[in-house]
């Protein structure tokens, strides 16, 4: 039987949905087959897809059923049909309960227009035979010395309403918005006081989720959607509103307030402030936006001067409200994460997941639980393994904004010691434009200061090609050549590039300077494809255009070794347009010969081919096309016959199936060098750095 966990709030603004999403992330990262169920839609919602359901789909990739509509819930309750409603709940939950080891169920939150949430949540706990996790908010009183006792008493009152036989169903409590003082000792003592207060009432503290201001920052588009404002200039409405500033002063007094992430409220006829804000935007300050109040528009001549600032992405909005009424309306915006804000949803989810007690989470597993490597578990494994032996990873594209962000994240999380190659002033300017302060763990090295140090290293590495010092100096002016030479010298442990360079520009220096490891016939690549329920490997999708049979066998063996290194049991499918002997031709013969060579070189490897993709991946197809195959229907490593097939397949799966891919990871090189897609996101770079660090730590 699955473990059913009902999450319920102890009051308003408790962080109910955030806690549910954090639980899903934390359990999934530990390999638990976890599902999510929202039995009843929240009354008073805006209609359409329930927000919690939408966020669960957005952040987890789970298939989540729609809840029973709020109108039907209210109708049944008004007629006293609670039991009938619960029968409907149980029927709707059967599917998710049958296919998961732990199911997180979100209860109802209290709201101003309904008071029955507590009674309904109690009925849900009984109907689903669920354990209960309470969620409360520290709110504004969290820093008060008496807060732990008050929070514990509120939870104890709520806990008393959830009983199963002679005991309580409540198995823990989560406290959101927990203030964290700067003094670490004070922070530890306050959490200890909270834990002690809850223990007094028999409620284990599962998490005190730290309050982080940045998790409350909405986007300009959320403001536009929620308030009656006109869009003068659309700009970048994904910008976060970190603070609201009312322009009451003249320009000299306003200048210190024109900072990244601030929304400036000013009447449209304050042309001095409008122009100052636009000049700040032109000088690289990423204001959240400019909101013109009091129904006053800009003078046309001033409006013409704002066009250049608008081109930087500065949103300019207008409202008929007074400045005071506008400020009040903005501050009263719904603080909940919108259903389409993936960035903030993932950040909030991660914050909750990181705060949850690992020992408590481990206790939720059932005896029937079988660990699996979910995408979240794989990504967690990457960062955990990388952090075990922190490596020095050089990032030649040191002034590229995504790379700078990724370096900061890796240093903060202890994934690696990033080395950014770039002029320090330029790197600092990029970081400031992103609103970042680079942590101490990020090194910034000026390439101009390094060239002479590595001339002899490059000459020695390329002496068989007649490399001369002057040519070496010219080559080292390229930051990727410089970084690769640093790697050859042993001054860094790995290299990651490609955010603004082609694959050839990243790989060629590695092949010429670092070269392949002993026994490797070539360098190749793999992608880790994070499918909804598993992680599989695709190779080679980035390097070798048309490998021969012996080279293809080498790619298969390298890919199988990469799978083992990252906790994936290798079952290698050699992909072709034909399964077995169903087709003929040189392309099929090549795959068959590569399979034979790989089996001969590594007899214990589970490998089969030629196999069509569907026969390799789908059990029902495998039974018809390749009965008895040890790989068909359950392959974990897919080796494609050429680059055309591999690259096309990986991109089709990635884009059309919404699959996250990590890589490409290069294999077969003497030292780790990895290439990025030029469309890489910040997270892609972070995980590629982690991959590289793991490769480096394992030689």
């Amino acid at each position: 039987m699955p473990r059913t966990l009902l999450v319920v709030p102890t009051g308003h603004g408790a962080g109910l949905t955030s806690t549910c999403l954090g639980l899903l992330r934390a359990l999934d990262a530990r390999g638990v087959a976890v599902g999510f169920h929202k039995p009843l839609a929240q009354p008073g919602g805006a209609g359409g897809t329930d927000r919690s359901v939408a966020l669960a789909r957005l952040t987890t990739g789970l298939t989540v059923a729609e809840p029973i509509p709020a109108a039907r819930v209210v109708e049944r309750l008004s007629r006293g049909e609670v039991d009938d409603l619960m029968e409907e709940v149980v029927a709707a939950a059967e599917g998710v309960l049958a296919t998961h080891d732990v199911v997180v169920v979100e209860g109802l939150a209290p709201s101003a227009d309904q008071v029955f949430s507590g009674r309904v949540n109690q009925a849900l706990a009984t109907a689903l035979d669920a354990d209960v996790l309470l969620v409360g908010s520290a709110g504004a009183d969290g820093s008060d010395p008496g807060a732990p006792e008050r929070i514990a008493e509120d939870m104890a009152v709520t806990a008393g309403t959830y009983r199963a036989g002679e005991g309580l169903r409540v198995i823990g409590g989560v406290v959101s918005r927990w203030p964290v003082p700067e003094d670490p000792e004070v922070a530890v003592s306050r959490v200890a006081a909270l834990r002690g207060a809850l223990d007094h009432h028999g409620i284990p503290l599962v998490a005190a989720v730290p309050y982080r201001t940045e998790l409350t920052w909405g986007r300009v588009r959320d403001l536009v959607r929620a308030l009656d404002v006109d869009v003068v200039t659309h700009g970048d409405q994904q910008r976060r509103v970190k603070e609201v500033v009312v322009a009451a002063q003249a320009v000299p007094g306003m200048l210190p307030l024109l900072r990244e992430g601030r929304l400036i409220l000013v009447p449209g006829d304050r042309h001095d402030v409008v122009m100052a804000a636009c000049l700040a935007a032109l000088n690289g300050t990423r204001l959240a936006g400019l909101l013109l109040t009091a129904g006053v528009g800009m003078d046309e001549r001033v409006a013409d001067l704002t066009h250049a600032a608008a081109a930087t992405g500065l949103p300019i909005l207008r409202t008929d409200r007074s400045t005071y009424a506008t400020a009040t309306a903005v501050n009263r915006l719904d603080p909940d994460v919108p259903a389409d804000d993936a960035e903030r949803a993932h950040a909030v989810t991660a914050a909750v997941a990181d705060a949850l007690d690992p020992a408590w989470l481990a206790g939720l597993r059932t005896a029937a639980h079988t660990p699996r490597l979910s995408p979240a578990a794989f990504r967690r494994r990457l960062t955990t393994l990388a952090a075990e032996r922190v490596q020095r990873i050089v990032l030649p594209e040191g002034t590229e904004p995504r790379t700078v962000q990724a370096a900061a994240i890796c240093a903060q999380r202890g994934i690696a010691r990033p080395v950014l190659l770039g002029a320090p002033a330029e790197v600092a300017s990029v970081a400031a434009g992103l609103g970042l302060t680079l942590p101490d763990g990020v090194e910034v090295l000026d390439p101009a200061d390094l060239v002479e140090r590595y001339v002899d290293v490059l000459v020695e590495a390329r002496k068989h090609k007649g490399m001369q010092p002057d040519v070496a100096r010219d080559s080292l002016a390229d930051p990727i050549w410089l970084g690769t030479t640093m790697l050859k010298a042993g001054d860094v442990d790995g290299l990651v590039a490609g955010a603004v360079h082609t694959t050839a520009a990243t790989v060629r220096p590695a092949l010429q300077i670092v070269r392949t490891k002993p026994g490797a016939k070539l360098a190749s690549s793999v992608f880790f494809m994070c499918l909804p329920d598993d992680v599989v490997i695709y190779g080679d999708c980035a390097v070798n255009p048309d490998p021969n049979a012996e080279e293809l066998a080498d790619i298969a063996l390298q890919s199988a070794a990469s799978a083992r290194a990252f906790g994936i049991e290798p079952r290698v499918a050699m992909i072709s347009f034909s399964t077995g002997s169903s087709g003929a031709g040189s392309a099929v013969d090549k795959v068959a010969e590569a399979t034979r060579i790989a089996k001969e070189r590594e007899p214990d490897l589970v490998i089969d081919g030629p196999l069509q993709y569907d026969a390799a991946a789908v059990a029902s197809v495998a039974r018809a096309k390749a009965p008895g195959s040890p790989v068909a229907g359950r392959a974990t490593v897919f080796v494609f016959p050429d680059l055309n097939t591999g690259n096309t397949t990986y991109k089709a799966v990635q884009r059309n199936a919404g699959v996250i891919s990590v890589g490409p990871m290069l294999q077969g090189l003497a030292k780790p060098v990895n290439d990025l897609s030029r469309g890489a996101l910040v997270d892609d770079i972070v995980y590629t750095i982690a991959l590289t660090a793991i490769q480096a730590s394992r030689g």
Side-chain angles (χ1 to χ4, degrees):
M1 290 293 291
R3 186 80 176 268
T4 306
L5 186 62
L6 176 66
V7 185
V8 299
T10 61
H12 297 275
L16 176 63
T17 301
S18 299
T19 300
C20 289
L21 298 179
L23 272 170
L24 293 174
R25 180 186 180 109
L27 289 168
D28 190 42
R30 285 159 176 78
V32 176
V34 61
F36 176 73
H37 189 49
K38 179 71 180 289
L40 309 173
Q42 187 71 38
T49 299
D50 181 270
R51 190 180 69 91
S52 299
V53 169
L55 286 171
R57 292 171 180 166
L58 182 69
T59 58
T60 68
L62 291 172
T63 300
V64 183
E66 288 290 338
I68 297 171
R72 188 151 81 243
V73 173
V74 173
E75 179 184 0
R76 282 193 175 277
L77 291 174
S78 66
R79 296 204 299 251
E81 298 172 352
V82 177
D83 292 341
D84 293 338
L85 178 62
M86 290 303 112
E87 285 183 21
E88 198 172 347
V89 164
V90 171
E94 286 176 351
V96 68
L97 292 172
T99 53
H100 297 88
D101 291 337
V102 177
V103 176
V104 175
V105 179
E106 180 176 321
L108 288 180
S111 62
D113 56 353
Q114 56 90 1
V115 293
F116 51 73
S117 60
R119 177 164 54 96
V120 171
N121 288 336
Q122 294 159 31
L124 287 173
T126 301
L128 297 172
D129 194 24
D131 295 317
V132 174
L133 178 67
L134 301 176
V135 185
S137 172
D141 297 328
S143 57
D144 189 308
E149 285 73 22
R150 285 197 296 274
I151 292 169
E153 287 170 5
D154 288 343
M155 283 199 170
V157 170
T158 304
T161 64
Y162 294 93
R163 296 194 173 275
E166 297 298 319
L168 292 176
R169 293 182 180 273
V170 174
I171 59 171
V174 170
V175 179
S176 64
R177 298 176 64 86
W178 182 253
V180 180
E182 293 184 0
D183 187 333
E185 292 185 4
V186 174
V188 170
S189 67
R190 284 186 179 171
V191 173
L194 177 62
R195 180 176 288 106
L198 287 169
D199 283 344
H200 178 72
H201 296 283
I203 303 172
L205 176 63
V206 173
V209 182
Y211 175 72
R212 289 166 45 192
T213 307
E214 63 268 25
L215 298 183
T216 68
W217 294 339
R219 303 162 299 181
V220 173
R221 67 174 297 178
D222 303 325
L223 182 150
V224 171
R225 191 161 48 194
L227 301 181
D228 183 20
V229 298
D230 299 322
V231 177
V232 178
T233 300
H234 191 277
D236 177 12
Q237 295 196 8
Q238 294 295 115
R239 291 185 178 185
R240 300 282 169 187
V241 179
K242 301 179 180 180
E243 191 175 355
V244 177
V245 173
V246 175
Q249 297 176 276
V251 169
M254 281 296 300
L255 291 179
L257 303 179
L258 299 177
R259 293 290 180 265
E260 192 264 346
R262 289 181 171 174
L263 177 69
I264 310 301
L265 271 56
V266 61
D269 57 0
R270 283 292 305 274
H271 302 128
D272 55 337
V273 174
V274 170
M275 293 176 67
C278 290
L279 283 171
L282 287 169
N283 283 323
T285 301
R286 284 174 54 87
L287 295 170
L290 188 62
L291 178 49
L292 309 178
T293 63
V296 180
M298 290 181 285
D299 183 281
E300 289 185 3
R301 293 164 296 179
V302 175
D304 288 341
L305 294 176
T306 67
H307 291 164
T312 70
L314 176 69
I316 302 177
L317 315 172
R318 181 174 58 218
T319 177
D320 290 333
R321 291 185 178 91
S322 69
T323 303
Y324 176 81
T326 302
T328 301
V330 171
N331 286 320
R332 287 179 177 172
L333 288 176
D334 185 353
D336 290 334
V337 180
D340 63 347
D341 192 345
E343 180 185 24
R344 188 174 161 206
H346 281 292
V348 170
T349 300
V352 174
D354 290 344
L356 294 168
D357 181 0
W360 184 88
L361 288 168
L364 293 179
R365 297 173 184 244
T366 64
H369 170 70
T370 301
R372 61 185 176 83
L373 190 64
S374 68
F378 173 69
R379 295 192 296 270
R380 177 182 171 86
R381 178 171 292 177
L382 288 185
T383 55
T384 301
L385 290 175
E388 287 178 357
R389 289 177 58 189
V390 178
Q391 302 290 299
R392 196 166 182 244
I393 307 299
V394 65
L395 306 173
E397 299 159 325
T399 58
E400 196 281 319
R402 291 165 296 164
T403 302
V404 173
Q405 281 184 276
I409 292 168
C410 286
Q412 289 165 348
R413 296 173 63 182
I415 292 170
R417 294 197 303 275
V419 179
L420 294 171
L421 296 185
E426 189 175 352
V427 174
S429 176
V430 171
L434 295 167
L436 288 176
T437 300
L438 290 180
D440 293 338
V442 177
E443 297 179 61
V444 180
L445 300 180
D446 193 334
D449 296 338
L450 299 175
V451 171
E452 287 302 323
R453 187 187 309 176
Y454 292 103
V455 169
D456 291 344
V457 177
L458 183 54
V459 168
E460 176 65 22
R462 299 289 293 159
K463 66 181 180 181
H464 63 291
K465 292 293 186 179
M467 175 71 76
Q468 297 297 313
D470 287 345
V471 177
R473 287 187 183 90
D474 290 342
S475 297
L476 290 169
D478 182 325
I480 295 182
W481 275 79
L482 176 59
T484 307
T485 308
M486 294 171 69
L487 180 61
K488 175 69 174 178
D491 292 339
V492 293
D493 303 305
L495 178 147
V496 173
V500 291
H501 289 82
T502 63
T503 294
T506 300
V507 175
R508 188 180 298 114
L511 292 173
Q512 294 182 3
I513 301 171
V514 174
R515 298 200 284 274
T516 56
K517 64 175 62 174
K521 298 184 182 301
L522 78 175
S524 65
S525 72
V526 291
F527 281 89
F528 294 88
M529 304 298 290
C530 299
L531 306 178
D533 293 313
D534 208 354
V535 176
V536 299
I537 284 178
Y538 283 6
D540 172 9
C541 303
V543 178
N544 297 286
D546 190 17
N548 60 35
E550 192 166 349
E551 291 170 336
L552 193 60
D554 206 47
I555 292 170
L557 296 177
Q558 289 179 10
S559 301
S562 294
R564 289 191 201 96
F566 291 91
I568 299 171
E569 181 184 351
R571 294 187 291 274
V572 183
M574 305 296 283
I575 301 301
S576 170
F577 68 82
S578 168
T579 294
S581 58
S582 65
S586 59
V588 178
D589 293 342
K590 179 179 79 169
V591 175
E593 176 64 8
T595 305
R596 185 195 66 77
I597 294 170
K599 286 180 178 178
E600 186 177 88
R601 289 176 57 186
E602 196 172 315
D604 293 334
L605 178 64
V606 180
I607 183 171
D608 197 11
L611 288 171
Q612 291 166 290
Y613 189 97
D614 57 352
V618 182
S620 59
V621 177
R623 286 192 292 271
K625 290 188 174 183
S629 168
V631 172
R634 54 199 295 267
T636 57
V637 179
F638 296 75
V639 177
F640 296 98
D642 52 53
L643 186 59
N644 184 50
T645 307
N647 190 267
T648 302
T649 303
Y650 119 74
K651 286 187 176 178
V653 172
Q654 179 192 39
R655 299 298 180 184
N656 291 337
V659 167
I660 296 171
S661 65
V662 180
M665 184 184 85
L666 301 184
Q667 47 193 17
L669 291 170
K671 293 189 176 185
V673 172
N674 282 312
D675 176 46
L676 299 165
S677 163
R678 276 169 284 175
L681 303 175
V682 173
D683 275 355
D684 298 332
I685 302 175
V686 169
Y687 290 119
T688 302
I689 292 172
L691 279 173
T692 309
I694 295 166
Q695 287 179 292
S697 69
R698 298 189 172 190

